[in-house]
Amino acid sequence: IAAGEIAELSLVAAPPEGVELRPIADERGIDALVAVHEEVFGEDATAIGAMLRVELARDASDVAATVAMADGRPIAAGRVELHRGTGFASLWGDCTVLDWRGRGVFRSLVGVGAAHAAAAGARDPAAAAPAARRPLFRRLGFVDLATTTPYVHPGAAD
């Protein structure tokens, strides 16, 4: 887990040329997010899509998801969850397909999530930061807090 104070993070970054960041608010957007996760992680991500549908239906103001598109193809995605009354927000799933890495797409997605969190009053965003992404978060000003082991219960989508 990596975290930081909004005021101290370096998060303002426009996406690279040819990339459009779109808020996810419907089935098409959720499907795009699922497609990115499946390409990046090489595993079925329908449970993530199901979870996002529930979160958006429950209270769309507590979650915001974004997909990056290039030439009609989803190339990156991420989401932020607000924890109202705590000052914290969680950044989840920020990931980019292999052929678009190293161009600033990840940075712009994290910036969108953090900006949403800041607008909602969160001061301290935290992110799941596996070893491969820790250097990216560190360059943005996040610090390492803890190590976690992600797990999705097989019955979570039921």
Side-chain angles (χ1 to χ4, degrees):
I1 302 290
E5 291 184 41
I6 288 274
E8 296 179 11
L9 300 177
S10 174
L11 298 172
V12 178
E17 187 173 329
V19 175
E20 178 187 1
L21 300 180
R22 296 181 186 167
I24 295 173
D26 58 20
E27 285 298 316
R28 188 172 172 194
I30 291 171
D31 290 345
L33 178 136
V34 167
V36 169
H37 277 261
E38 289 180 347
E39 183 174 342
V40 170
F41 299 112
E43 57 189 41
D44 180 21
T46 54
I48 293 170
M51 180 180 62
L52 185 55
R53 281 180 192 87
V54 169
E55 290 176 3
L56 289 172
R58 182 186 62 220
D59 187 350
S61 67
D62 283 344
V63 63
T66 305
V67 64
M69 302 291 290
D71 295 322
R73 173 185 173 213
I75 60 162
R79 72 183 192 281
V80 60
E81 296 177 10
L82 304 173
H83 308 287
R84 303 247 181 224
T86 69
F88 287 94
S90 302
L91 302 171
W92 293 98
D94 292 300
C95 57
T96 308
V97 299
L98 187 59
D99 58 319
W100 275 91
R101 291 183 189 161
R103 300 188 201 188
V105 179
F106 178 87
R107 181 185 188 107
S108 62
L109 273 176
V110 172
V112 166
H116 179 80
R123 298 175 319 276
D124 304 301
R133 289 194 305 225
R134 283 188 198 129
L136 299 169
F137 279 106
R138 285 184 195 131
R139 284 196 296 271
L140 297 174
F142 287 78
V143 295
D144 295 337
L145 291 182
T147 301
T148 64
T149 303
Y151 180 78
V152 175
H153 188 278
D158 294 337

